[in-house]
Amino acid sequence: MLFKAMSFQPLSAIGPSMVTWALKLHLPIGPIIRKTIFSQFCGGESIDQALISAGHLARQNVRSILDFAVEGAQSEESFARTVAELENVIKISSSHAHVSFAVFKPTGITRFALLEKVSRGEALAKDEASEWELASQRFQNLCTLARKHNIRIMIDAEETWIQPAIDQMCETAMKIHNGNQAYVFTTVQLYRKDGLARLEQQYNAAKAGGYHFGVKLVRGAYLIKERERAKARGLDSPLHSTKKATDHEFDQALRFCVNHLDHMSICAGTHNDSSTLHLAKLMADRGVAKNDSRIEFAQLLGMSDNLTFNLAHHGYNVSKYVPYGPVEAVLPYLFRRAEENTAIRGQVSRELSLIESEIQRRRSN
Ligand SMILES: Cc1cc2nc3c(=O)[nH]c(=O)nc-3n(C[C@H](O)[C@H](O)[C@H](O)COP(=O)(O)OP(=O)(O)OC[C@H]3O[C@@H](n4cnc5c(N)ncnc54)[C@H](O)[C@@H]3O)c2cc1C
């Protein structure tokens, strides 16, 4: 029912603003969200609850990436709170063998507008310069703490116009922490026209710098926002114009990575069946063991369980992002999941069609 509701386009289109308004008016919709979309896509409201979800996954040999999914914070106090929570996650994760990575979003620890200004290469005012200094320190401290606790850490990729600042901080952290092994993982989005070139260039920089390159490969989550911004500014879209081109680029990136495993480790963050199969085949062709520690598959909690559990069953390293946080604070994350599961061009979403065919299969047994 949940996936059917999300795939109904008019509801998905107005749902986020309805929910936002209802919460502003203090209407009692929290329990409804908690029992539906939240329980499908989130591991809980606190780290303890997320660890219980991680424990369930561990029984099926699936590891977890505890993701404090609070977004949209703007004040220094909320950034400091997020950093404290992330530090806690790193420390706790290190004592749970079934937690594979720590993760964070740069906009969770610093202002979007500041990342944008740094990305444009503009001169910063004095107070902005000290704010940037603090943000960079927070970023580096999280990576240092993860290394100290022997837990790998991934940094999510965000909008193209703030990514140069994020890349700069990731590169610094990788130089410091990734010797013969990757502790810090950056993210490359292959829906970008320059995705593959960026991947190769970052790999080459790591190789030349004598450190291991850690990268999460994803297609990219901000398709609509990126296109709207480019259109509004009369710019060429930075993204591929077709899904087919993105798919091709993603699979090329997987090939590049498997061919260069000597100096890199990867996490393939995808729900796409054919890319997953493609990676498994590349590994088999190159004689890479299914459980090679340099390759991790990952899906989001509540999505593509068919891939996650089958990969685990066949001995691959596979993790779920387990987002958690107070219901109201994780709404932007939940809205993105709803948007992803909307019917596109009259086709039901992938999750819905998988669920429907499984129900059909069970009925006919
Ligand atoms: C573990 C994990 C971590 C993630 N971390 C990040 C992150 O750090 N940053 C981030 O941005 N995203 C992240 N994502 C989300 C990811 O980028 C995708 O949005 C999502 O996984 C859907 O893509 P897919 O590979 O699963 O495959 P599919 O569902 O087959 O592909 C959907 C994707 O294809 C692309 N696409 C769709 N239509 C078009 C079109 N017309 N033209 C061009 N491209 C198109 C878009 O990127 C879209 O999201 C993560 C996903 C996972 C599973």
Side-chain angles (χ1 to χ4, degrees), residues 154-173:
M154 293 199 291
I155 293 103
D156 281 348
E158 306 195 51
E159 289 82 349
T160 47
W161 57 101
I162 60 167
Q163 201 55 38
I166 299 173
D167 287 346
Q168 189 184 314
M169 292 193 284
C170 286
E171 190 176 339
T172 306

Side-chain angles (χ1 to χ4, degrees), residues 75-347:
S75 67
E76 276 306 313
E77 292 79 14
S78 47
F79 295 141
R81 269 200 306 276
T82 300
V83 170
E85 180 70 23
L86 291 169
E87 287 170 351
N88 196 21
V89 173
I90 291 170
K91 288 176 198 157
I92 290 177
S93 298
S94 67
S95 58
H96 288 81
H98 53 275
V99 176
S100 49
F101 287 90
V103 66
F104 72 94
K105 245 187 162 44
T107 49
I109 63 165
T110 191
R111 262 187 331 115
F112 191 102
L114 184 65
L115 287 165
E116 193 174 0
K117 200 162 180 186
V118 174
S119 295
R120 280 199 301 261
E122 278 175 27
L124 300 179
K126 206 171 161 209
D127 54 341
E128 288 173 330
S130 41
E131 195 186 344
W132 178 237
E133 175 72 31
L134 177 64
S136 307
Q137 256 170 30
R138 281 181 178 150
F139 190 106
Q140 299 308 330
N141 288 348
L142 287 170
C143 296
T144 306
L145 190 71
R147 173 74 199 275
K148 185 177 154 208
H149 286 273
N150 203 23
I151 178 105
R152 296 173 296 174
I153 187 161
M154 293 199 291
I155 293 103
D156 281 348
E158 306 195 51
E159 289 82 349
T160 47
W161 57 101
I162 60 167
Q163 201 55 38
I166 299 173
D167 287 346
Q168 189 184 314
M169 292 193 284
C170 286
E171 190 176 339
T172 306
M174 283 196 280
K175 268 186 196 155
I176 300 171
H177 301 292
N178 295 2
N180 295 328
Q181 159 179 11
Y183 279 95
V184 178
F185 283 61
T186 185
T187 300
V188 171
Q189 299 153 314
L190 279 310
Y191 66 0
R192 288 179 60 152
K193 285 178 187 155
D194 61 357
L196 198 52
R198 290 176 69 249
L199 175 75
E200 294 183 12
Q201 175 250 314
Q202 292 182 35
Y203 165 82
N204 287 332
K207 197 173 175 195
Y211 59 93
H212 218 73
F213 180 44
V215 64
K216 168 168 55 120
L217 299 179
V218 299
R219 280 179 167 74
Y222 305 93
L223 186 81
I224 298 171
K225 199 172 172 189
E226 291 276 359
R227 284 191 171 158
E228 282 176 357
R229 180 179 186 265
K231 197 173 164 203
R233 292 169 180 235
L235 301 168
D236 233 14
S237 168
L239 311 187
H240 290 298
S241 48
T242 62
K243 167 88 165 64
K244 200 171 159 204
T246 299
D247 290 347
H248 178 259
E249 223 48 5
F250 189 85
D251 290 351
Q252 285 293 104
L254 289 175
R255 183 178 295 278
F256 175 86
C257 293
V258 177
N259 285 341
H260 295 84
L261 278 181
D262 283 354
H263 289 278
M264 71 189 300
S265 296
I266 64 164
C267 172
T270 182
H271 303 128
N272 184 293
D273 315 13
S274 78
S275 292
T276 304
L277 196 58
H278 178 62
L279 177 54
K281 280 194 179 136
L282 286 170
M283 291 167 71
D285 290 350
R286 303 282 182 289
V288 178
K290 287 178 179 174
N291 65 349
D292 190 302
S293 62
R294 294 166 299 181
I295 300 183
E296 185 91 23
F297 294 80
Q299 288 82 41
L300 306 180
L301 189 73
M303 291 181 71
S304 295
D305 286 350
N306 58 322
L307 294 181
T308 314
F309 294 111
N310 277 309
L311 284 165
H313 182 69
H314 288 279
Y316 292 93
N317 297 319
V318 59
S319 297
K320 281 281 200 205
Y321 256 41
V322 179
Y324 76 91
V327 174
E328 284 186 30
V330 301
L331 284 177
Y333 177 86
L334 293 176
F335 293 157
R336 277 208 301 283
R337 300 293 76 82
E339 190 183 296
E340 250 169 42
N341 284 289
T342 302
I344 301 163
R345 282 183 224 100
Q347 288 186 327

